Amino acid sequence: MSERIDKIVEEIKVLTLLEAAELVKKLEEVLGVTAAAAAPVVVAGAGAGAAAAPAEEKTEFAVVLTGVGANKINVIKAVREVTSLGLKEAKDLVDGAPKTIKEGISKEESENIKKKFTEAGATVEVK
């Protein structure tokens, strides 16, 4: 491979799953291809590391606080329960919604967190 191709491969290797998905979408738009045609290009370019990435995506989730609701104090308490944040940091997170509360967690844990925040009056999204 040429040095230019090697550089591109190295850049793709360090992408997060979200960044890789954005790259695929952008390549689809720019090159006018479908996901079925673009995916083999990305997998072939990134090697085995990218081929294993979709399996990881299904086992790790992120919980994002999208809305606080009427009872802000209960939401702050829920943030403190779920994270190791102090009172000020939890308040800042709630005030800055939409914010990611926790990422890289199991589906079961993400559903439990979603339930806590829903009971507190907040709106959350599991990604």
Side-chain angles (χ1 to χ4, degrees):
M1 285 195 278
S2 72
E3 186 176 316
R4 185 174 178 201
I5 300 292
D6 289 338
K7 285 181 184 179
I8 293 171
V9 169
E10 290 304 314
E11 289 284 328
I12 291 173
K13 281 182 172 179
V14 296
L15 293 178
T16 65
L17 291 175
L18 291 174
E19 291 170 332
E22 289 176 20
L23 174 63
V24 170
K25 287 179 186 175
K26 187 68 173 181
L27 287 173
E28 288 175 347
E29 291 173 14
V30 172
L31 302 176
V33 294
T34 63
V41 172
V42 173
V43 172
E56 291 177 32
E57 184 178 9
K58 295 177 185 176
T59 60
E60 292 186 356
F61 296 87
V63 179
V64 179
L65 177 66
T66 56
V68 177
N71 203 340
K72 185 175 172 182
I73 293 172
N74 284 345
V75 177
I76 292 171
K77 287 178 182 178
V79 168
R80 292 195 67 205
E81 279 180 42
V82 171
T83 66
S84 60
L85 296 176
L87 181 60
K88 180 180 178 354
E89 292 82 8
K91 181 183 178 299
D92 291 344
L93 188 143
V94 170
D95 288 340
K99 289 278 188 175
T100 301
I101 300 167
K102 217 169 185 182
E103 26 181 25
I105 57 175
S106 69
K107 182 172 184 156
E108 183 180 320
E109 185 178 356
S110 66
E111 291 301 322
N112 289 339
I113 292 171
K114 181 178 179 180
K115 183 179 176 188
K116 277 185 187 181
F117 279 89
T118 304
E119 289 171 358
T123 309
V124 294
E125 185 179 312
V126 177
K127 294 185 178 183

